[in-house]
Amino acid sequence: MAKKPVADMEEAEAEQAPSGLLERTLGVIELLAAHAHGLPLYEIAERLGIPRSATHRVLTSLVERGYVRQERHHGLYQLTAKIASLAFSFLSGSGITDLAQPVLDQLARETAELVRLALIDGRQLVWVAKSQGSPFGLRYDPDMGQSGRLSCSASGHAWLSCLPEEEALALVERQGYGSREEFGPKAPETPAALLKYLRQARKRGFSMVSQTYSPWMSATAAPVRSAQSGDVIGALVIAGPHIRLTEEKMLAFAPLLLGAARDLSLALGASPTLVSHQRRGPFFG
């Protein structure tokens, strides 16, 4: 049997892959966002199931517009800071970071740990602001603009615990469970294991995890609700090394965390962007 030309095989594989120009462009951006050190063209094409020629055209356009750069020596494609700049310009213009930062800074000073705010973006949580409270020693300081894995993050559990269990599990199934190899050794990998965490968080009013999102991190999170509707719009998190941020310490921080979450609900109610989105549903959604 004669073999099909490589070009024909690529096009056949692409039938199940992103087809429109916008869909392919967004796919490339999202993939590179998850690989900060960059990826070569062939791997981008393989991961997205797009022909290499089409992938090259998308990357060339993004490079020309300043959203992507290519390393000369290794040929890897990486996102530039332009995308992050757009996101932070939006957050600055919306007033969200200005309104939230004093609350985050206060909680970080009181706990001497990293404090983060994540807002619901459609079906995921995206980190939009942080404050580092630990002046020395071990520090956990992730990049902003990333979305957390719902199944194994404290923020994810805080949000999911406020939803009907079927809806919570559906969101996790859509995103995928975080494996213990990729995240932490205690990450829940089944619906039954996840529901145990969610029921505990629902009973307490806040979530607590240790070594689920990373091998050495603990975190506790409380849902942030809209002051107008009462719907959950995000999650406030205290995170730190598990040898320092023990279960006993997280429980001791609970009144501070819940108080700060209430303060954020009131503060963010003054953001015109959040108010307009709350009329239509979750933030960004």
Side-chain angles (χ1 to χ4, degrees):
M1 182 180 294
K3 293 184 178 180
K4 294 182 179 180
V6 174
D8 291 345
M9 293 177 65
E10 285 186 341
E11 291 298 337
E13 292 173 355
E15 289 180 1
Q16 303 301 320
S19 55
L21 178 58
L22 177 60
E23 189 179 357
R24 288 177 171 181
T25 301
L26 292 176
V28 169
I29 291 173
E30 290 173 354
L31 180 62
L32 291 179
H35 296 81
H37 298 295
L39 292 172
L41 186 150
Y42 76 87
E43 188 168 348
I44 296 171
E46 288 178 0
R47 285 175 178 263
L48 295 178
I50 304 173
R52 294 189 187 184
S53 57
T55 304
H56 184 262
R57 287 194 295 271
V58 170
L59 288 168
T60 299
S61 180
L62 289 170
V63 169
E64 290 174 350
R65 293 182 175 274
Y67 292 103
V68 170
R69 64 171 171 267
Q70 183 181 20
E71 290 187 356
R72 292 184 178 179
H73 300 295
H74 303 289
L76 301 181
Y77 288 90
Q78 298 174 307
L79 288 183
T80 67
K82 188 172 182 179
I83 294 239
S85 176
L86 289 176
F88 286 118
S89 293
F90 166 75
L91 290 173
S92 177
S94 70
I96 293 171
T97 51
D98 290 340
L99 294 166
Q101 200 62 51
V103 179
L104 302 186
D105 291 342
Q106 177 65 27
L107 185 59
R109 286 192 296 269
E110 293 172 334
T111 62
E113 296 291 357
L114 174 70
V115 173
R116 298 194 291 171
L117 172 64
L119 293 180
I120 296 174
D121 180 4
R123 297 180 179 88
Q124 61 186 356
L125 283 167
V126 177
W127 307 115
V128 299
K130 66 180 178 181
S131 182
Q132 180 60 260
S134 178
F136 54 84
L138 291 174
R139 297 172 63 172
Y140 175 67
D141 194 1
D143 293 332
M144 290 294 95
Q146 299 294 319
S147 58
R149 181 72 64 162
L150 298 178
S151 66
C152 56
S153 65
S155 59
H157 291 185
W159 177 28
L160 296 176
S161 68
C162 299
L163 300 174
E165 290 186 352
E166 288 187 4
E167 184 178 348
L169 292 177
L171 284 171
V172 172
E173 290 289 346
R174 184 182 181 90
Q175 187 188 46
Y177 283 83
S179 69
R180 294 183 174 182
E181 290 76 15
E182 185 180 0
F183 290 88
K186 296 183 180 180
E189 296 180 303
T190 65
L194 175 60
L195 286 176
K196 183 177 180 180
Y197 277 99
L198 299 188
R199 289 165 182 169
Q200 290 174 340
R202 188 180 303 116
K203 184 177 180 179
R204 286 190 299 256
F206 59 93
S207 65
M208 293 196 309
V209 299
S210 182
Q211 295 182 286
T212 61
Y213 199 72
S214 82
W216 56 273
M217 188 191 81
S218 291
T220 178
V224 177
R225 296 181 178 273
S226 162
Q228 286 76 27
S229 67
D231 294 334
V232 177
I233 57 173
L236 178 64
V237 184
I238 301 171
H242 73 93
I243 59 174
R244 186 173 71 211
L245 191 58
T246 61
E247 180 176 342
E248 181 180 11
K249 202 167 186 180
M250 287 190 283
L251 289 171
F253 285 158
L256 295 173
L257 175 67
L258 293 171
R262 288 191 293 270
D263 291 343
L264 276 175
S265 295
L266 295 173
L268 293 178
S271 167
T273 301
L274 273 178
V275 170
S276 64
H277 278 279
Q278 287 160 19
R279 295 194 186 103
R280 301 191 298 273
F283 182 69
F284 293 137

